[in-house]
């Protein structure tokens, strides 16, 4: 018997997914690296031929998702950690963005993650062991103008995962949300504007878009997080039987989420005097 764990990580060709895969392999664990771009994952897997498996997959394709789970089970016999890390983003005001783009954001960021965890859960339940790790974002707690659909997809993932950990807890399983801040993981190169820019949104979504265009010059400000450090912290937190349901990564995430909590507290306190007045009157 060994203590080796098996990780299935989507979006593993770059960024946090790649760095987490690399760190887990370095700790002696087994890792399935899954993403559409195979070359970067292949070079990493070649360093760990007995414990790494590369699967080129489009997580939006139902048949490829099922094949990914089956290949993982066939190679390593189990999934201890399913890390739903694959994600995309388009910029633009709500009115500006193309419907095909924001639907794709939800397909990748939300529906694909849901489909994969549903495929992984039966074997986890049978073993009474396993963890679903859903990669959210500080944007899944606090929205910004110009990035509404990405935030909405992460808000949806947050709500689903809250239900999930309550549903699977009695079976001995866990579900967690990871809420990173801004890490320079290549997302800036994969983020594009959607639709037609409208003058009325120039000071909101327009400002956001221009900032992203200058991201390389402002990387130290806009992307303060070190993805390799994040991978080390994340691995440590996930493998020490966490009792929390959320893990926040990055000082900017702490600041933005903290500000959102303060705003929620103000709204909650302001509603105390009126909330009970909407109940049926008791005789």
């Amino acid at each position: 018997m060994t203590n080796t764990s098996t990780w299935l990580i989507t979006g593993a060709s770059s960024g946090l997914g790649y760095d987490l895969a690399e760190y887990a392999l370095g700790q002696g664990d087994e890792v399935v690296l899954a993403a559409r771009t195979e070359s970067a994952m292949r070079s990493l897997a070649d360093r760990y031929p007995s414990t790494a498996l590369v699967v080129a997959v489009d997580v939006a394709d139902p048949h490829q998702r099922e094949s990914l789970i089956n290949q993982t089970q066939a190679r390593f016999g189990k999934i201890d950690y399913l890390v739903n890390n694959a994600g995309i983003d388009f910029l633009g005001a709500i009115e500006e963005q193309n419907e095909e783009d924001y639907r794709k954001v939800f397909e990748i960021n939300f529906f694909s993650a849901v489909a994969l965890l549903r495929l992984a859960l039966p074997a986890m339940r049978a073993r009474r062991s396993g963890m679903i790790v859903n990669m959210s974002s500080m944007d899944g707690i606090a929205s910004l103008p110009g990035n509404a659909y990405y935030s909405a997809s992460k808000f949806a993932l947050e709500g689903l995962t809250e239900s999930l950990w309550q549903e699977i807890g009695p079976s001995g399983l866990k579900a967690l949300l990871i809420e990173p801040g801004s890490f320079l993981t290549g997302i800036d190169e994969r983020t594009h504007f959607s639709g037609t820019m409208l003058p009325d949104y120039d000071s909101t979504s327009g400002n956001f878009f221009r900032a992203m265009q200058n991201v390389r010059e402002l990387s130290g400000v806009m992307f303060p997080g070190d993805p390799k450090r994040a991978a080390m912290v994340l691995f440590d937190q996930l493998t020490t039987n966490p009792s929390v349901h959320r893990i926040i990564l990055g000082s900017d995430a702490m600041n933005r989420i903290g500000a959102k909590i303060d705003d929620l507290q103000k709204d909650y306190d302001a509603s105390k005097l009126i909330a009970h007045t909407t109940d049926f009157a008791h005789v």
Side-chain angles (χ1 to χ4, degrees):
M1 296 293 290
T2 68
N3 293 321
T4 300
S5 295
T6 302
W7 300 70
L8 169 52
I9 305 174
T10 66
S13 61
S14 63
L16 288 176
Y18 179 92
D19 288 322
L20 178 59
E22 183 178 40
Y23 190 78
L25 286 166
Q27 302 306 300
D29 280 353
E30 300 163 337
V31 178
V32 177
L33 301 96
R36 296 184 68 171
T37 305
E38 189 174 346
S39 57
M41 299 187 296
R42 179 66 62 190
S43 62
L44 173 58
D46 286 346
R47 290 155 47 192
Y48 300 93
S50 63
T51 55
L53 172 66
V54 169
V55 180
V57 62
D58 177 359
V59 295
D61 185 307
H63 299 293
Q64 293 186 40
R65 289 193 298 255
E66 187 172 358
S67 176
L68 171 61
I69 297 296
N70 291 339
Q71 289 183 65
T72 302
Q73 296 281 8
R75 174 68 181 273
F76 297 118
K78 61 186 173 69
I79 301 171
D80 294 298
Y81 299 92
L82 170 62
V83 183
N84 280 312
N85 176 67
I88 60 170
D89 190 9
F90 287 97
L91 300 182
I94 295 168
E95 186 183 357
E96 292 172 331
Q97 290 202 35
N98 294 326
E99 182 175 352
E100 62 180 322
D101 292 335
Y102 63 72
R103 285 186 177 275
K104 187 175 182 181
V105 167
F106 269 84
E107 186 62 42
I108 300 297
N109 296 1
F110 179 70
F111 289 112
S112 295
V114 174
L116 281 169
L117 70 87
R118 283 168 55 91
L119 288 169
L121 280 174
M124 287 184 173
R125 286 189 292 102
R127 295 174 51 237
R128 290 295 191 262
S129 177
M131 183 181 297
I132 305 295
V133 182
N134 285 335
M135 192 66 68
S136 181
S137 168
M138 62 182 177
D139 297 272
I141 297 291
S143 298
L144 289 175
N147 208 22
Y149 293 111
Y150 177 82
S151 288
S153 70
K154 296 300 187 180
F155 268 65
L157 192 63
E158 294 258 344
L160 177 121
T161 310
E162 282 192 15
S163 292
L164 180 63
W165 68 57
Q166 296 174 71
E167 292 175 356
I168 66 177
S171 297
L173 310 183
K174 290 182 177 292
L176 287 91
L177 287 157
I178 312 303
E179 291 162 349
S182 298
F183 289 80
L184 196 58
T185 60
I187 186 65
D188 57 300
E189 299 174 355
R190 301 189 300 273
T191 300
H192 306 285
F193 191 88
S194 172
T196 302
M197 300 183 74
L198 302 175
D200 283 344
Y201 298 113
D202 183 69
S203 64
T204 55
S205 65
N207 275 342
F208 192 14
F209 178 64
R210 285 187 291 273
M212 288 299 294
Q213 287 182 310
N214 297 322
V215 68
R216 288 294 169 182
E217 292 77 12
L218 300 172
S219 60
V221 176
M222 291 188 65
F223 292 87
D226 181 340
K228 291 193 178 298
R229 289 188 177 186
M232 293 172 60
V233 170
L234 188 54
F235 181 91
D236 180 65
Q237 292 293 307
L238 294 177
T239 56
T240 54
N241 194 29
S243 59
V244 299
H245 293 128
R246 291 179 170 85
I247 297 174
I248 300 172
L249 300 175
S251 57
D252 57 337
M254 284 295 292
N255 291 337
R256 179 129 69 95
I257 292 173
K260 176 63 176 285
I261 291 172
D262 291 341
D263 285 343
L264 287 173
Q265 188 65 52
K266 291 177 184 177
D267 291 344
Y268 177 81
D269 291 340
S271 295
K272 285 182 178 178
L273 296 178
I274 62 170
H276 71 282
T277 65
T278 61
D279 292 349
F280 283 109
H282 294 288
V283 180

